[in-house]
Amino acid sequence: MGTPQLCLIGVVMLLGLLGVLVPGVPGSLLCWGAVLWWATNLHTPLTWGVLAAATGLLALNQVVQWLLPARRIRDSELTWRNVFAAGCTAIAGFFVLPVIGAPIGFVAYIYAVERVRLGSHGGAWTATRTAMRAIGRSVLAELFACLLVAGAWLGAVVFG
């Protein structure tokens, strides 16, 4: 598989990660499709193992999301633009501090926005908790699963 095709697969993977943050865009499906594309072109045990792991992880993630109580963003005062920006910060945090950087980046961005908006630590922390209850569980679960898939794919490409 050539570098241009690997780059296209990486772009699809990135679109999937960003798609997790946009309502109505199947981010998990895009990430899985990118791994499927990669695995069906290389036909090695490593690629099929990554595809099997990605399939299992994303299927489990769908069950977890279905079981978590869904909360509406409208219940909090956080805008979708801020949710998207917090998700982008979570993606960057994942690469700065692998795995645990994603939730830390997400929460830190929301707290910073609320601190600027409200002007106090107590109010910002309360608003952050409310916003996290409203959107955090399902979005972070899906984003984390997609980041694990992207990390496994990237690790297999670089070290495999």
Side-chain angles (χ1 to χ4, degrees):
M1 174 173 289
T3 303
Q5 193 171 11
L6 279 175
C7 289
L8 284 174
I9 292 170
V11 167
V12 171
M13 190 77 66
L14 181 61
L15 289 174
L17 290 172
L18 294 174
V20 168
L21 307 173
V22 179
V25 176
S28 298
L29 187 59
L30 285 171
C31 288
W32 181 80
V35 173
L36 177 67
W37 176 11
W38 172 68
T40 55
N41 278 308
L42 288 182
H43 301 290
T44 67
L46 176 65
T47 62
W48 292 116
V50 172
L51 178 62
T55 302
L57 179 67
L58 293 175
L60 179 65
N61 180 56
Q62 293 301 312
V63 172
V64 167
Q65 282 186 333
W66 182 71
L67 293 175
L68 289 175
R71 306 263 179 146
R72 299 257 186 242
I73 188 67
R74 285 179 247 128
D75 293 341
S76 69
E77 295 180 13
L78 199 60
T79 65
W80 282 109
R81 190 182 89 202
N82 286 337
V83 172
F84 181 78
C88 290
T89 305
I91 292 170
F94 177 81
F95 291 105
V96 171
L97 189 60
V99 181
I100 63 170
I104 292 170
F106 193 86
V107 172
Y109 183 86
I110 290 176
Y111 175 79
V113 166
E114 293 299 315
R115 177 73 187 243
V116 167
R117 185 176 70 87
L118 298 172
S120 71
H121 169 71
W125 185 242
T126 302
T128 301
R129 283 192 321 233
T130 302
M132 291 305 297
R133 284 185 195 112
I135 54 126
R137 288 181 181 139
S138 63
V139 171
L140 282 179
E142 185 175 4
L143 183 61
F144 185 69
C146 288
L147 284 168
L148 287 177
V149 168
W153 171 77
L154 187 61
V157 167
V158 171
F159 300 114

